Amino acid sequence: MRGIEGARGRWTGRVLRGLGVVGALMLLVLSLVKGDWPSEPSYGNGWPVPLSVKASILRSLLALVAGLALAWMPSLAPWRERAGRWLFHSPRRRIQWVLGTAAFLLYAGVAWFRFKGLPFLDDDAAALFQARIFAAGRLTLPVPKYGQFFSLFGLLGRAHEHPFVCTMYPPGLSLLLLPGVLAGVPWLMIPVTGGLLVAATITLGAELAGERVGRLAGLFMLGSPFIGILSGTHLSHIPTAGLLVVCWLAVVRLLRTGRIRHGVMAGAAWGAACLFRPLTALVVGVVVALGVLVQWRRALAAWRGVLAALLLAVAGGALLA
């Protein structure tokens, strides 16, 4: 009977692994698809990276072949060993500095050489315009005399029957761009947050699944084209992601240690994320809250920190009211 049960267990395990592989492949295929495919071809809608299915598959296969070659070639074995020792045995802080700095330089290159340091969409153009309004010491501007000729999606004005000119988006992104506007380099602000996102991801991965996973997560994020392109824009995706990673990290540490400062950090980070992308912050906040509820005993033990997090989160959300 034990032999039969063992065989059944092995068969079940193989089936589950097979289903997992099939599911992963399906997700990979879906991640390469954009738009109305397969009913219509995808042309990328003007994005700087080709998003057609054919181009995505070819690039993915090329990356896979190159990765297998680097992993298999015997002549590269000493270099692989050195890279592995450096990545997995160096102090975490050093890895964060190196990968975070590399990410910043890479993203700054994308911002300058691909986007010329300029906004790419009307969304980030509106945020940059609002940052310049802040830099002038104002919250809004009066509608110009011929306001009907002054119109940009994302800015409120005469075209919207609005009494003054300002962005229609939350102020977080414009406030982030403000130091860059004052220094004359607003295009560097998102690359900076991109580097910080990589560093924070390393720490979060280490807290959740160990040092090896955290460092690999940071390395994979550094090589992500999606993160790289967004980090070269003036858009709010990357700073929002960074704040939510910090929030999640603080919650993990709060439940482990019970220290109030982690609750303060969690609430402040989530409240700040609300000032960038409120709906994104809400969705991720619900997921994090469910994780806290699952560990309700630890949450009760750290109730002061949880209360501080809730109060600061509510305060951050109330700023949008």
Side-chain angles (χ1 to χ4, degrees):
M1 292 296 292
R2 291 182 179 178
I4 295 176
E5 291 178 357
R8 288 178 178 175
R10 289 191 295 272
W11 180 83
T12 302
R14 285 196 294 268
V15 170
L16 292 176
R17 285 193 294 271
L19 291 176
V21 171
V22 172
L25 291 175
M26 291 180 64
L27 289 175
L28 175 62
V29 171
L30 290 175
S31 70
L32 301 175
V33 174
K34 183 180 183 296
D36 299 324
W37 185 89
S39 60
E40 294 181 10
S42 173
Y43 297 105
N45 295 330
W47 273 89
V49 176
L51 294 174
S52 67
V53 175
K54 180 180 178 181
S56 297
I57 291 177
L58 290 177
R59 283 198 306 275
S60 298
L61 290 176
L62 180 61
L64 180 61
V65 170
L68 290 175
L70 291 174
W72 175 79
M73 292 177 63
S75 59
L76 296 178
W79 294 97
R80 289 196 296 269
E81 292 178 3
R82 291 179 186 176
R85 285 197 300 269
W86 176 82
L87 181 62
F88 297 121
H89 298 290
S90 297
R92 184 197 299 175
R93 188 62 58 85
R94 181 184 302 171
I95 300 297
Q96 288 177 305
W97 272 104
V98 172
L99 294 187
T101 302
F104 164 70
L105 294 175
L106 175 63
Y107 303 155
V110 173
W112 183 253
F113 293 106
R114 182 60 189 85
F115 296 107
K116 310 301 181 184
L118 299 173
F120 177 68
L121 298 173
D122 41 18
D123 293 353
D124 46 349
L128 180 58
F129 190 87
Q130 183 65 46
R132 289 171 176 163
I133 295 177
F134 288 155
R138 303 175 62 101
L139 296 178
T140 63
L141 288 178
V143 176
K145 182 177 180 180
Y146 299 101
Q148 64 270 27
F149 300 108
F150 180 81
S151 179
L152 174 68
F153 182 82
L155 283 180
L156 300 176
R158 181 168 295 178
H160 307 86
E161 298 182 355
H162 208 262
F164 43 79
V165 177
C166 65
T167 181
M168 69 179 186
Y169 296 113
L173 179 57
S174 298
L175 291 173
L176 175 65
L177 296 175
L178 176 57
V181 169
L182 295 174
V185 285
W187 56 275
L188 278 180
M189 300 310 298
I190 305 301
V192 168
T193 61
L196 294 175
L197 172 61
V198 170
T201 300
I202 293 172
T203 303
L204 178 60
E207 292 280 348
L208 292 175
E211 287 290 341
R212 182 177 292 265
V213 171
R215 297 173 188 212
L216 287 175
L219 193 62
F220 283 134
M221 180 167 284
L222 176 62
S224 168
F226 184 72
I227 298 294
I229 289 296
L230 286 176
S231 295
T233 68
H234 293 68
L235 294 169
S236 61
H237 302 72
I238 298 303
T240 305
L243 288 168
L244 292 175
V245 166
V246 170
C247 171
W248 192 356
L249 174 62
V251 168
V252 171
R253 289 179 170 176
L254 171 63
L255 295 179
R256 191 183 74 242
T257 66
R259 294 181 178 177
I260 297 178
R261 67 182 185 186
H262 297 311
V264 171
M265 178 62 71
W270 189 87
C274 277
L275 299 180
F276 286 83
R277 301 180 71 85
L279 292 180
T280 302
L282 177 62
V283 171
V284 176
V286 169
V287 174
V288 173
L290 289 175
V292 173
L293 290 176
V294 169
Q295 304 182 65
W296 60 272
R297 289 188 177 87
R298 291 187 178 184
L300 285 178
W303 68 270
R304 292 182 179 86
V306 173
L307 180 60
L310 290 175
L311 291 176
L312 285 171
V314 170
L319 292 176
L320 296 175

